Amino acid sequence: MQGKKIVVLGTGGTIAGTLSGPAGGYVAAQKAVAALLAGLPLPAAVELVSEQVAQVDSKDMDLAVWQALLRRCRHWLAQPEVQGLVITHGTDTLEETAYLLQAVLAPAKPVVLTCAMRPADAIDADGPQNLLDALTVAAEPGAHGVVVVCAGHIHSAFDVQKVHTWQLDAFSSGEAGDLGQVVQGGVVLTRNWPQSTVKYAADAIEKIVSLAAWPRVEIVLSHAAVSEATVDALVSPEVAARFGAPPVRGLVVAATGNGTLHRVLEAALQRAAAQGVRVVRATRCAQGRVWPQPGDAWPDSQGLSPVKARLALTLELL
Ligand code: ASP
């Protein structure tokens, strides 16, 4: 880690949470990112800059925070002396933020998101080690792309998913497997760093970070005894207007198995598509992906989970 400038951006989460919140219990997003770094045993030669971009429980992640984070990442990544970025984040929507940053920025430097399952003042807090591991990954020569570091594992933004409600090793990359691990302060890589082609020029990114609203894309689930009324209500201009919401422009359907849909839902989606709503199929299965078949009515999500497919379609509709 010697002689490198790494920028640490704080956004909140349990890693910055405490057990002694105002109501006497656990609350996320209480400690400043500078305080999280204060006690870490870092080599003196590492130059760290920290910035508090937001202070949120990531279950409440919203467009304004995402836009602020995209702006700060873009700013710091453009500084030649910066080797990489670390972002402290809650676990709940970590995979969405990771995917968004990779899809929009396709960074040639490492952007490492990290988190914790236990609050900062817990006796056995996991945040400090995760943060130290994330700094190690950000300082790794040749590292690039957006990755998540948690419980010693390095995951690609494309594959990572939160899979456990309380275990410290709460993330998995499923069948793809993790990218590697941080072992005794060093990176052991087993797959290549995430790579995607740069899709957005500077002015397109400026639009993404400035728009007051992104196209509205919702997720629906195919399940037994599904109601056709759900999709009809979602895409109804009258319902949207009643809530002052923009009309739905896209729907991601979390399908059963290999992309199959309840016939009732299929019919409702056909009606939505006839209104100009874009439909994409992901699977509700934790493993595998939807394999396209000739004559499929709806495109598949290219292996993306429903929440990431929602972001991909949102960006496409921008
Ligand atoms: N609700 C928290 C968050 O996502 C959970 C966590 O960080 O583990 O911010």
Side-chain angles (χ1 to χ4, degrees):
M1 262 199 235
Q2 302 281 311
K4 303 192 166 168
K5 180 166 178 175
I6 294 172
V7 179
V8 186
L9 304 175
T11 70
T14 294
I15 191 168
T18 61
L19 289 167
S20 48
Y26 157 77
V27 198
Q30 299 298 298
K31 286 194 151 208
V33 64
L36 303 182
L37 289 164
L40 291 184
L42 295 166
V46 178
E47 191 191 342
L48 283 186
V49 174
S50 70
E51 205 176 272
Q52 196 74 46
V53 175
Q55 191 64 296
V56 293
D57 184 325
S58 83
K59 73 178 175 60
D60 300 323
M61 185 53 68
D62 61 20
L63 180 60
V65 174
W66 269 347
Q67 287 176 319
L69 189 58
L70 279 163
R71 274 185 196 283
R72 295 317 291 158
C73 286
R74 191 171 53 140
H75 166 80
W76 285 114
L77 287 167
Q79 311 306 311
E81 77 282 6
V82 170
Q83 146 80 24
L85 311 185
V86 167
I87 300 170
T88 56
H89 197 291
T91 58
D92 288 340
T93 56
L94 186 79
E95 68 217 56
E96 293 175 60
T97 301
Y99 175 78
L100 176 71
L101 295 176
Q102 178 67 40
V104 175
L105 302 173
K109 294 178 183 179
V111 175
V112 187
L113 288 95
T114 194
C115 56
M117 291 297 284
R118 291 183 181 145
D121 59 352
I123 194 165
D124 47 1
D126 52 330
Q129 187 62 54
N130 285 345
L131 188 46
L132 204 53
D133 288 349
L135 290 164
T136 300
V137 173
E140 178 71 6
H144 58 84
V146 181
V147 299
V148 168
V149 169
C150 181
H153 293 273
I154 311 166
H155 300 275
S156 157
F158 292 115
D159 304 310
V160 69
Q161 253 186 294
K162 186 173 180 181
V163 293
H164 206 282
T165 53
W166 52 265
Q167 279 180 3
L168 298 189
D169 192 1
F171 289 87
S172 168
S173 293
E175 288 171 330
D178 58 20
L179 296 180
Q181 295 188 35
V182 184
V183 183
Q184 293 179 350
V187 172
V188 180
L189 209 62
T190 43
R191 290 172 58 207
N192 286 334
W193 300 104
Q195 189 118 35
S196 51
T197 41
V198 178
K199 268 202 198 146
Y200 300 101
D203 52 346
I205 297 180
E206 193 47 47
K207 182 179 163 193
I208 291 169
V209 300
S210 314
L211 277 174
W214 288 353
R216 187 168 159 218
V217 178
E218 300 286 349
I219 299 174
V220 292
L221 183 72
S222 190
H223 57 86
V226 72
S227 163
E228 63 187 317
T230 308
V231 166
D232 286 355
L234 267 177
V235 301
S236 153
E238 293 75 34
V239 173
R242 203 182 313 149
F243 291 97
V248 167
R249 304 234 346 249
L251 288 171
V252 171
V253 54
T256 40
N258 188 16
T260 50
L261 297 176
H262 194 295
R263 60 187 166 76
V264 167
L265 187 60
E266 178 91 46
L269 291 171
Q270 294 285 0
R271 289 195 292 277
Q275 258 177 250
V277 174
R278 288 273 301 277
V279 179
V280 169
R281 274 177 319 145
T283 179
R284 65 182 219 180
C285 290
Q287 304 278 346
R289 57 175 291 172
V290 176
W291 288 107
Q293 310 289 329
D296 276 345
W298 319 108
D300 67 277
S301 67
Q302 316 260 311
L304 293 175
S305 65
V307 289
K308 291 180 189 175
R310 193 192 78 80
L311 277 166
L313 184 54
T314 304
L315 291 171
E316 218 180 301
L317 289 167
L318 265 171

